[in-house]
Amino acid sequence: MVWEITAEELLERYADGERNFAGIELIQSDGVPLDNVINLEGAVLKGINLRGAYLRQADLRRADLTGSDLFGVSLELAELDYAIVRDANLYSANLSWCRLPEADLSGTSLDHMNASSTLFRGANVGGFEYAMLINTDFRDAYIAPNVIWSYGNFV
């Protein structure tokens, strides 16, 4: 199921107890230029289902996505600086050109992710397999060194 939703509507429906937003396309509010980021900075979205959602250019800095289902989510050009994404599912996610500096991804499934040109500086990254890591920046990130060079990851 695909439907368009603004950040304000998503936050309102989440506050009302809704958690299933699988397949949404996050869009700008009326009157906001299309090239602006979509503001969800600091949002608490624990346990949200965003399976297959299109969240391109979302500002999720300092957001809390603990325990969320983000399977196959599209986060190109999204900003997740200092975000908490613990024990979540980012399996098969598209994180290309995404920013995740100092993000906490501990316990999160990152298998089969596309992290091309993604910034993970200082992030806490769990293990992953079969990931695309072209031009990916892991400087100062906590990650087991053998993970990047093994398990079928494409560097």
Side-chain angles (χ1 to χ4, degrees):
M1 180 166 123
V2 176
W3 84 84
E4 294 180 342
I5 187 171
T6 65
E8 295 81 12
E9 185 180 358
L10 176 113
L11 292 172
E12 182 179 305
R13 290 169 73 166
Y14 182 89
D16 286 342
E18 189 171 345
R19 295 295 180 266
N20 188 0
F21 297 91
I24 67 162
E25 179 178 349
L26 200 57
I27 61 169
Q28 290 290 1
S29 302
D30 288 338
V32 177
L34 292 176
D35 59 345
N36 283 16
V37 297
I38 298 172
N39 189 5
L40 286 167
E41 183 177 358
V44 176
L45 300 169
K46 293 179 179 181
I48 194 168
N49 178 357
L50 288 167
R51 257 182 182 253
Y54 185 75
L55 307 176
R56 188 175 201 278
Q57 287 187 292
D59 179 353
L60 290 157
R61 291 176 293 159
R62 294 178 181 76
D64 189 346
L65 294 158
T66 300
S68 297
D69 188 356
L70 304 165
F71 178 97
V73 71
S74 180
L75 283 162
E76 298 107 325
L77 298 166
E79 298 176 11
L80 286 103
D81 310 45
Y82 301 95
I84 302 166
V85 194
R86 278 188 227 121
D87 303 317
N89 181 11
L90 272 166
Y91 185 97
S92 201
N94 185 354
L95 303 174
S96 59
W97 295 98
C98 190
R99 295 180 39 85
L100 293 120
E102 304 295 330
D104 183 357
L105 298 157
S106 57
T108 293
S109 171
L110 295 164
D111 294 347
H112 296 267
M113 71 174 164
N114 176 2
S116 299
S117 299
T118 297
L119 180 73
F120 285 100
R121 284 190 188 177
N124 184 355
V125 182
F128 49 85
E129 295 181 349
Y130 304 107
M132 290 185 59
L133 305 172
I134 301 164
N135 293 324
T136 303
D137 185 347
F138 286 107
R139 282 182 275 182
D140 300 321
Y142 173 78
I143 183 171
N146 65 329
V147 170
I148 295 175
W149 305 111
S150 62
Y151 306 113
N153 293 319
F154 180 71
V155 180

